[in-house]
Amino acid sequence: MLRTLKDHNIETHCPIALIDWTNEEGARFPGAMMCSGVWSTKSSTGLEGCYAVKDTEGVSMRQALLDTGYLGQTPCDYRQNGLESYFELHIEQGPKLETANKKVGVVTAVQGMKWFAVRVSGVEGHSGTTPMDGRSDALVTASRLITAVSETATSTGLGVATVGVISNDTQSQATIPSGVEFIIDVRCSTDKMVDDLCTAIFKSFDEIIQKEGNSTAYKVTRTWGLPESIFHEDCISAVRSAAIEEVGTSQIMDMKSGAGHDAAWTSKVVKTTMIFVPSKDGVSHNPAEYTSPEDCALGAQILLQAVLRYDESVKQGSLL
């Protein structure tokens, strides 16, 4: 997009910035969309807190930025380093566009989400000498709690809930596990639905613990959250108009993002929206992830046209 503007000597009314947000996935350092969260000032973890976060090797975020030469001097704060608006292009990471045979997703919001770390405790014992009716097996209880996460999300229909990380204190086949930890990822269309689903999940946990009656217990720590994010109509309208011009009304659909994106945090302080293009079979974060070059090019073209439309509206003073 930037190359096209340069090649055609197009000078916009508003300067255009390309942003590469640090630690969007939270893959190395815990806490997704870390940089945009700090920039927006709306994340519960501020700059110094993020600097102090460590990876599995004990390296802090600040040290990693120093080591790579990316610890800059520009303030990571929208009040000191602001934007007029923010547009983000992304693959859908899901199957909806492909299933509906649509080419473009006009993203209107990002659903709310919360993550929790759960530790289940029991009593360690020898696997050969401890009677079955005298065991306090943390792994057995954890397996029932994990199953309840999925079953509760399904039965309530409020949203989705996933356990993707599990760790066991015991690594001996001859030992009854005394401690197990797992992470719960809860996502729903609204913040209230997130809270309602979390309440239902932990209520089911209490019922399981009571039924077990074997001295196992659990403790929950909320580790991260992202409130529901509503995008701005000025930006949405610019994307929708550009998409209609490129592919026609029949090939676009309004969508709410199920995955988190930096746009979710920017939307708290600046006009924001996103553009989605199809993901083959809905697969992402996997070697099989694929979006065709044609769809990538189409997304870039719509991004270009949407930004130019928005820029012209700013110039004309015709925005909300």
Side-chain angles (χ1 to χ4, degrees):
M1 171 188 166
L2 296 176
R3 184 170 59 246
T4 300
L5 291 174
K6 183 175 185 298
D7 288 347
H8 290 80
N9 297 314
I10 297 175
E11 183 174 341
T12 56
H13 175 72
C14 298
I16 293 178
L18 173 66
I19 305 174
D20 185 359
W21 301 102
T22 302
N23 200 43
E24 192 266 358
E25 292 289 351
R28 179 178 177 185
F29 296 96
M33 291 91 78
M34 185 180 281
C35 182
S36 55
V38 170
W39 178 83
S40 73
T41 72
K42 303 305 178 183
S43 172
S44 59
T45 306
L47 180 62
E48 293 304 320
C50 288
Y51 277 163
V53 172
K54 295 182 178 180
D55 65 11
T56 56
E57 303 298 322
V59 178
S60 71
M61 166 64 85
R62 190 177 193 281
Q63 187 60 51
L65 290 170
L66 274 171
D67 292 345
T68 56
Y70 278 95
L71 187 66
Q73 299 301 313
T74 303
C76 188
D77 187 322
Y78 82 97
R79 295 165 297 187
Q80 301 175 67
N81 185 23
L83 299 170
E84 158 61 34
S85 61
Y86 177 77
F87 292 79
E88 184 171 344
L89 170 63
H90 212 282
I91 64 169
E92 181 195 346
Q93 296 182 274
K96 293 181 180 178
L97 285 173
E98 186 179 58
T99 300
N101 197 29
K102 305 289 186 180
K103 301 300 290 183
V104 181
V106 179
V107 188
T108 61
V110 177
Q111 66 181 353
M113 49 194 83
K114 288 183 179 179
W115 294 355
F116 301 89
V118 180
R119 178 166 181 82
V120 183
S121 58
V123 179
E124 189 171 290
H126 193 286
S127 65
T129 62
T130 308
M132 296 301 293
D133 60 0
R135 299 185 177 200
S136 181
D137 190 326
L139 183 54
V140 171
T141 298
S143 68
R144 290 177 176 143
L145 299 183
I146 291 168
T147 300
V149 171
S150 177
E151 290 178 344
T152 303
T154 300
S155 64
T156 61
L158 290 167
V160 296
T162 307
V163 173
V165 176
I166 307 171
S167 60
N168 183 9
D169 290 357
T170 303
Q171 296 300 322
S172 168
Q173 64 186 36
T175 304
I176 298 167
S178 61
V180 175
E181 296 182 357
F182 59 90
I183 306 295
I184 306 175
D185 177 332
V186 179
R187 309 187 187 208
C188 305
S189 293
T190 67
D191 294 336
K192 183 180 186 306
M193 292 170 74
V194 170
D195 290 339
D196 288 348
L197 180 51
C198 291
T199 297
I201 288 171
F202 297 132
K203 180 182 178 182
S204 71
F205 280 16
D206 292 337
E207 293 171 350
I208 289 169
I209 293 295
Q210 184 176 9
K211 184 177 180 180
E212 293 281 87
N214 59 3
S215 298
T216 54
Y218 76 93
K219 180 180 179 181
V220 177
T221 302
R222 179 182 166 184
T223 57
W224 182 80
L226 177 68
E228 177 191 7
S229 306
I230 306 298
F231 292 158
H232 199 280
E233 184 53 41
D234 284 347
C235 297
I236 294 171
S237 177
V239 169
R240 183 180 289 113
S241 297
I244 290 172
E245 183 173 309
E246 291 297 325
V247 297
T249 305
S250 66
Q251 288 297 305
I252 68 174
M253 63 185 293
D254 285 3
M255 305 183 68
K256 175 174 283 193
S257 176
H261 297 282
D262 291 305
W265 283 123
T266 67
S267 70
K268 309 297 182 187
V269 294
V270 66
K271 294 179 180 181
T272 295
T273 196
M274 293 187 70
I275 303 161
F276 278 172
V277 290
S279 299
K280 188 177 186 303
D281 299 325
V283 175
S284 70
H285 293 177
N286 183 284
E289 175 184 306
Y290 180 79
T291 295
S292 72
E294 292 79 11
D295 285 336
C296 291
L298 175 61
Q301 178 67 15
I302 291 171
L303 175 64
L304 171 63
Q305 295 301 331
V307 168
L308 290 177
R309 285 170 180 268
Y310 184 91
D311 183 70
E312 183 61 27
S313 295
V314 173
K315 184 178 180 179
Q316 299 297 329
S318 59
L319 297 175
L320 297 176

